[in-house]
Amino acid sequence: MADLRAAVEFCMEQPDEEAKDEVSTSTQTTEVAKPDVVEVERKFVLPDDFEQKLSDIGASFLQKKTLTDMYYDTDDYRLTLSDHWLRQRNGTWELKCPPSLRKSDSQNMSCQYAEYTKEIDIVQMCAAVLDVDGRDIIVDSLITHSNCHKFATLVTHRKSYAVDNFTIDLDVTDFGFQVGEIETLVVDQSRIADALTKIDKLAEKLGVQSSHRVPGKMDAYLKKNNIDHYKKLVEGHILFQEDERN
């Protein structure tokens, strides 16, 4: 009898396995995905003799390549209206979205985006915006579950140069749009402000400084191909019309 009582007391003291699972699940916290890097850039209108200017200041030619970017969003533009840009670049998934320490820029002259390339992080970040189950670990499943679809395909022919710790990209799209970009990548977001200052100084040195933000490839593409989407992003202050930049 004593042995039986001891056995019963032992069982009563042991937590139910299902209850343990519930406790374990309830106490788990989802770690916020950290971006690979933060891209800090400033776009500029390409002067006719700009490559000669780069040569004159000793810029190093890096490479020439073609980028095929396919962008995805829902019918009501939930991702892009949250400034989340989900794309497949040359077959690889990427996400660009605002960094937690984005610096204010009253003139809207710069772009600052956290970049994610790990699919599990991309899914986590997008799922929070789309309000869907983020436990899928591949982007294709997220797209299916959230009814996302491709809304833009951009083909860009790019030449890249290096000046100090900055990359200068000269882009020409398949629909004839041209734009230049001065960019750098930072890991520590507290260095964004310093990167912006240095980019401004380099833009002045190259003679491509501007008093307003220069439109990018997506601005031009949507204005040409999907005016409704473009207007919604302007209304949401994600993109900027010419008169808003002056």
Side-chain angles (χ1 to χ4, degrees), residues 72-86:
Y72 291 79
D73 203 349
T74 58
D75 287 334
D76 55 356
Y77 316 132
R78 275 177 282 166
L79 285 175
T80 52
L81 282 173
S82 296
D83 211 5
H84 282 54
W85 300 89
L86 175 62

Side-chain angles (χ1 to χ4, degrees), residues 87-175:
R87 71 186 179 197
Q88 210 172 16
R89 167 164 285 185
N90 291 349
T92 300
W93 288 109
E94 299 178 349
L95 173 69
K96 297 174 70 172
C97 59
S100 57
L101 297 179
R102 176 182 266 179
K103 297 299 180 183
S104 60
D105 180 359
S106 60
Q107 297 293 329
N108 301 307
M109 292 188 293
S110 69
C111 298
Q112 306 158 45
Y113 283 103
E115 295 188 348
Y116 297 85
T117 57
K118 299 180 183 69
E119 287 209 30
I120 191 169
D121 294 340
I122 293 172
V123 168
Q124 183 187 92
M125 299 300 293
C126 289
V129 175
L130 296 169
D131 194 24
V132 297
D133 188 346
R135 288 177 294 180
D136 299 311
I137 61 171
I138 59 174
V139 179
D140 297 87
S141 298
L142 175 76
I143 286 176
T144 300
H145 294 167
S146 60
N147 296 315
C148 284
H149 60 86
K150 182 171 63 179
F151 71 86
T153 299
L154 280 70
V155 178
T156 303
H157 305 290
R158 168 173 290 177
K159 292 181 181 180
S160 297
Y161 291 81
V163 178
D164 298 327
N165 294 320
F166 298 91
T167 300
I168 299 176
D169 294 325
L170 314 181
D171 290 347
V172 181
T173 70
D174 58 341
F175 56 93

Side-chain angles (χ1 to χ4, degrees), residues 40-42 102-105 109-112 166 184 191-202:
V40 184
E41 71 173 29
R42 180 169 178 171
R102 176 182 266 179
K103 297 299 180 183
S104 60
D105 180 359
M109 292 188 293
S110 69
C111 298
Q112 306 158 45
F166 298 91
T184 190
R191 300 186 66 85
I192 291 177
D194 181 56
L196 288 170
T197 299
K198 291 178 178 178
I199 286 175
D200 287 344
K201 289 181 179 178
L202 181 55

Side-chain angles (χ1 to χ4, degrees), residues 190-230:
S190 67
R191 300 186 66 85
I192 291 177
D194 181 56
L196 288 170
T197 299
K198 291 178 178 178
I199 286 175
D200 287 344
K201 289 181 179 178
L202 181 55
E204 184 176 359
K205 180 179 180 180
L206 291 168
V208 292
Q209 70 272 35
S210 174
S211 61
H212 62 268
R213 181 181 176 186
V214 173
K217 297 184 292 289
M218 184 57 73
D219 301 66
Y221 178 90
L222 289 178
K223 196 171 184 179
K224 178 182 177 67
N225 296 285
N226 190 336
I227 194 64
D228 177 67
H229 194 172
Y230 173 77

